[in-house]
Amino acid sequence: MDPKSFIENHKDRLLSELFELLRIRSISADPSYNDDVAKCAVAIEGHMKSIGLENVEIYPTSGHPIVYGECLVDSKLPTVLVYGHYDVQPADPIELWDGDPFEPVIKKTDIHPEGAIFARGACDDKGQMFMHLKAFEILKEQGDIPCNIKFMIEGEEEVGSMNLESFIKNYRDKLACDVILISDTGMIANDVPSITTGLRGLSYVEVEVTGPNRDLHSGLYGGAVANPLNILADMIGSLHDEQGKITIEGFYDDVEAVGTEERAIMAQAPFSQEEFNASIAIPAEKGESGYTTPERTSIRPTLDVNGMWGGYIGEGAKTVIPSKAFAKISMRLVPGQNPDEITQKFINHFTKIAPASVRIKITPHHGGLPYVTHTSDPAYKSASKAYETTFGVPALPVRSGGSIPIVALFEQVLGAKSILMGFGLDSDAIHSPNEHYGLFNYFKGIETIPYFYKYYSSIRTNP
Ligand code: BES
Ligand code: MN
Ligand code: MN
């Protein structure tokens, strides 16, 4: 049976099975959900077994478990390793959801007139990861599995994949593959499919500014003592100049410039600044001068405050000079930049600009390397052909602004490139309240993936 008819015949089950996964609160960041995360791993193990994968096993780590399963048909055929994650971001702020984040419902939206599944993890990444298990089910049903397929689904992506690195190092042979296939990114629009050819890297730091040894009365002391919140605001404000450039010394040193040719190709992808602004209700866009919005969010590095706190933030007014101020700052990196070096440059710069009236402490968090792949790669070509088969139009290559730090490590440790066949949309609100995933996207993903295996196997066997 071809993928399309299989999907037509099993629509209800394809949804109800995903819904079962979405009901599990597999929030990796919050230890109070550890049992739910473990339960989710068991559910995936069960699915892997039920679709006929072999050597299905849950691998415990010092964090959350990894689920593995494989189907090895012929050592002469190429091997594809599918990677995905079953953990999700916390649902907070819960009050901004229209319903329970862990009770999936289908609702129509302007962008998804045929309906979308609303739930935490619907798009990132349970819905997209599950498409791969269902696509495998189609191959199995067709009785024609064109290559060896391995699945590795982890539970710590949203917290930095800290234990996956040692897992892939320890199981290098088990995970040996020709290419890694991932659906954990997006595409331009439902009628403009795209394949992600790049991911940004990440450097993440937390800063603490300390002034006096206790909170002070802002009348008695105000004017004579450095206020850590004022100072931190100043320091953060100085991290960008008028042109929107980051002022950290050496920040751009290793950035690999993108050529005019690639920029011209990027500019061909449909984009409306007006629609972009309207979709997130901003009065005007802002960013580094000399670059378009799609460039600012993909080929350029950035620095953003993710959270900033200190002092009195309760009801009403309290007159106080806080003892401490804090901020969490992320830097998205592009090819050439190294997260450890950037973190060090941040530390040097921030220490240098701190006035003598305060003490500062900087704590680095997890980071990750940027990633790029090329359209000349046979795996890219196979993916491109698969999209063309099911969407009826060719897919555009696009660099994404998001990060999946393990992808660069896959290349280093397993020596294989990753092909990022994402089917989500930027408007799907991943990490936000009311995350959703289009029914069109879910079913189209399941339909497209089997063609990737078919084309990839034939390209590799008869290049
Ligand atoms: N799936 C996302 C990354 C993504 C989304 C890439 C859309 C491209 C398009 C992933 O789950 C994620 O959220 N990554 C984090 C980094 C991680 C270290 C927490 C990110 O990009 O913030
Ligand atoms: Mn993800
Ligand atoms: Mn995510």
Side-chain angles (χ1 to χ4, degrees):
M1 206 189 310
D2 66 290
K4 215 182 167 113
S5 339
F6 179 95
I7 294 163
E8 269 317 312
N9 293 343
H10 297 92
K11 270 200 156 147
D12 290 344
R13 180 173 61 82
L14 294 174
L15 287 174
S16 62
E17 289 178 353
L18 173 59
F19 280 23
E20 282 305 317
L21 281 186
L22 293 171
R23 289 193 182 99
I24 306 173
R25 297 163 190 258
S26 51
I27 304 167
S28 51
D30 184 346
S32 61
Y33 292 96
N34 282 358
D35 290 350
D36 302 81
V37 178
K39 210 177 120 193
C40 199
V42 171
I44 289 160
E45 178 196 32
H47 272 292
M48 284 188 181
K49 285 184 174 159
S50 77
I51 59 176
L53 286 170
E54 285 146 31
N55 299 318
V56 176
E57 213 170 313
I58 294 183
Y59 290 82
T61 72
S62 51
H64 301 300
I66 295 159
V67 195
Y68 179 87
E70 63 188 15
C71 174
L72 306 180
V73 285
D74 183 345
S75 60
K76 289 190 286 299
L77 290 171
T79 301
V80 177
L81 172 65
V82 176
Y83 162 80
H85 63 96
Y86 66 83
D87 64 319
V88 300
Q89 287 278 334
D92 311 66
I94 295 205
E95 64 282 7
L96 295 185
W97 285 76
D98 295 333
D100 181 344
F102 296 98
E103 188 43 64
V105 285
I106 295 172
K107 282 191 294 186
K108 291 184 166 54
T109 72
D110 289 348
I111 289 177
H112 296 293
E114 68 300 313
I117 306 157
F118 281 74
R120 171 56 86 228
C123 177
D124 186 11
D125 182 39
K126 284 176 180 168
Q128 296 210 67
M129 171 273 289
F130 201 61
M131 296 181 318
H132 286 273
L133 295 181
K134 298 297 105 180
F136 178 78
E137 204 179 310
I138 293 177
L139 294 178
K140 190 91 181 166
E141 196 255 4
Q142 289 177 336
D144 170 28
I145 297 168
C147 58
N148 304 303
I149 307 178
K150 301 174 175 179
F151 289 86
M152 176 177 68
I153 313 296
E154 72 150 322
E156 293 190 308
E157 196 280 336
E158 299 292 8
V159 289
S161 302
M162 297 310 247
N163 293 294
L164 193 60
E165 185 175 351
S166 58
F167 181 80
I168 62 173
K169 284 179 176 156
N170 291 341
Y171 291 95
R172 224 183 279 258
D173 294 339
K174 188 181 189 66
L175 301 172
C177 59
D178 296 281
V179 70
I180 295 144
L181 179 60
I182 306 175
S183 294
D184 192 21
T185 51
M187 57 180 194
I188 297 173
N190 285 357
D191 56 353
V192 190
S194 58
I195 301 171
T196 303
T197 51
L199 293 163
R200 285 197 283 194
L202 186 66
S203 158
Y204 202 113
V205 294
E206 188 163 332
V207 302
E208 180 186 311
V209 177
T210 307
N213 62 354
R214 60 182 166 92
D215 288 6
L216 303 173
H217 189 288
S218 65
L220 296 180
Y221 289 91
V225 175
N227 177 326
L229 275 169
N230 293 15
I231 302 273
L232 181 57
D234 267 354
M235 291 173 75
I236 286 171
S238 78
L239 295 177
H240 288 94
D241 69 11
E242 238 107 85
Q243 307 304 312
K245 294 250 185 264
I246 294 152
T247 56
I248 295 171
E249 214 180 301
F251 186 83
Y252 295 98
D253 282 0
D254 302 318
V255 169
E256 282 166 19
V258 175
T260 40
E261 203 177 312
E262 194 180 343
R263 286 178 74 182
I265 294 173
M266 283 183 72
Q268 284 168 14
F271 175 78
S272 153
Q273 188 64 58
E274 221 165 81
E275 280 170 29
F276 177 87
N277 295 6
S279 73
I280 48 173
I282 52 167
E285 72 278 12
K286 181 172 164 49
E288 185 181 359
S289 62
Y291 296 93
T292 63
T293 294
E295 289 174 338
R296 287 169 177 171
T297 58
S298 62
I299 59 167
R300 298 300 295 165
T302 57
L303 180 149
D304 276 291
V305 177
N306 295 250
M308 196 171 164
W309 69 102
Y312 182 69
I313 51 167
E315 281 289 314
K318 179 188 180 195
T319 50
V320 63
I321 293 175
S323 163
K324 285 180 189 290
F326 303 86
K328 289 183 193 278
I329 298 171
S330 66
M331 288 159 278
R332 296 279 172 176
L333 312 178
V334 299
Q337 290 181 300
N338 175 288
D340 297 330
E341 285 171 19
I342 290 293
T343 300
Q344 195 52 52
K345 284 175 177 167
F346 178 92
I347 294 172
N348 296 347
H349 179 84
F350 217 66
T351 310
K352 202 172 101 191
I353 63 171
S357 51
V358 295
R359 276 173 287 267
I360 62 161
K361 188 173 130 193
I362 303 164
T363 313
H365 284 280
H366 59 70
L369 285 158
Y371 179 77
V372 266
T373 184
H374 300 287
T375 53
S376 54
D377 189 315
Y380 181 91
K381 289 187 183 152
S382 316
S384 178
K385 216 172 142 191
Y387 280 82
E388 194 153 0
T389 305
T390 58
F391 284 80
V393 289
L396 298 168
V398 184
R399 284 221 220 163
S400 172
S403 308
I404 310 176
I406 200 68
V407 171
L409 287 173
F410 284 153
E411 187 167 12
Q412 285 176 6
V413 179
L414 302 177
K417 283 295 222 184
S418 292
I419 187 88
L420 301 155
M421 291 175 64
F423 293 90
L425 300 181
D426 283 354
S427 55
D428 286 346
I430 62 170
H431 294 205
S432 302
N434 301 316
E435 174 178 354
H436 53 279
Y437 190 39
L439 292 177
F440 170 85
N441 306 69
Y442 179 56
F443 294 128
K444 210 53 162 180
I446 299 174
E447 185 188 338
T448 308
I449 294 161
Y451 291 102
F452 170 80
Y453 292 117
K454 186 175 156 197
Y455 298 143
Y456 183 66
S457 184
S458 78
I459 258 189
R460 290 298 305 259
T461 358
N462 335 285

